[in-house]
């Protein structure tokens, strides 16, 4: 299992930008996928964006398309979520998640289910993002 640690986040005004980064503490497998989820108290964890580790193919929730960008640095073992044009309803705890494998996953297979939290076997502790009006 991979240990994940988020950094970044914090507070911003609506319309502003923030970046959160997830780092792995151990050697990663060459394949698999990573994602960012978010959760507000009393609600279910929601998929924000996902990325396939080797190909870099990405998937996004409709609510963040065009505003958020997920990327990964394959050699540094990091995944980053750049959040632009933030809205008040982006306020949440943001979690990094991963399921790393020694075999490739098909892009269409991942695209169909990337937002399912049960797909991921490793999770970070979360970092708070707060957007004010």
């Amino acid at each position: 299992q991979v240990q994940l640690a988020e950094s970044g986040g914090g507070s911003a005004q609506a319309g502003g930008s923030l970046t959160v980064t997830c780092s792995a503490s151990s050697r990663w497998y060459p394949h698999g996928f990573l994602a960012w989820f978010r959760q507000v108290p009393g609600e279910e964890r929601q998929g924000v964006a996902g990325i396939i580790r080797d190909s870099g193919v990405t998937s996004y929730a409709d609510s963040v398309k065009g505003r958020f960008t997920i990327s990964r640095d394959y050699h540094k073992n990091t995944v980053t979520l750049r959040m632009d044009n933030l809205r008040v309803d982006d306020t949440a705890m943001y979690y990094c998640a991963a399921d790393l494998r020694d075999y490739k996953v098909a892009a269409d297979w991942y695209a169909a289910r990337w937002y399912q939290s049960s797909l991921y076997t490793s999770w970070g502790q979360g970092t708070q993002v707060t957007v004010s009006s």
Side-chain angles (χ1 to χ4, degrees):
Q1 194 170 7
V2 177
Q3 283 74 49
L4 304 174
E6 301 95 340
S7 61
S11 300
Q13 295 278 332
S17 299
L18 286 171
T19 298
V20 289
T21 299
C22 176
S23 300
S25 63
S26 60
R27 184 181 178 86
W28 285 17
Y29 290 97
H31 307 297
F33 37 87
L34 306 103
W36 286 95
F37 284 73
R38 65 187 182 188
Q39 189 171 25
V40 297
E43 297 184 12
E44 290 189 359
R45 198 165 290 189
Q46 174 193 36
V48 176
I51 188 167
I52 297 176
R53 185 172 187 241
D54 46 40
S55 67
V57 173
T58 58
S59 298
Y60 293 92
D62 288 343
S63 60
V64 306
K65 278 181 183 175
R67 301 189 300 120
F68 289 12
T69 303
I70 187 171
S71 60
R72 91 280 187 246
D73 187 315
Y74 188 89
H75 298 289
K76 291 184 178 179
N77 295 338
T78 59
V79 59
T80 298
L81 184 69
R82 166 77 179 185
M83 300 177 286
D84 294 315
N85 193 19
L86 283 162
R87 308 190 306 216
V88 174
D89 61 1
D90 292 320
T91 296
M93 185 73 79
Y94 282 71
Y95 295 91
C96 176
D99 188 273
L100 302 179
R101 306 179 176 193
D102 57 5
Y103 58 90
K104 291 185 177 182
V105 297
D108 57 352
W109 177 88
Y110 183 62
R113 52 185 51 79
W114 71 270
Y115 53 88
Q116 298 173 7
S117 59
S118 59
L119 202 61
Y120 303 85
T121 54
S122 299
W123 291 84
Q125 294 298 307
T127 185
Q128 180 67 37
V129 170
T130 302
V131 184
S132 58
S133 58

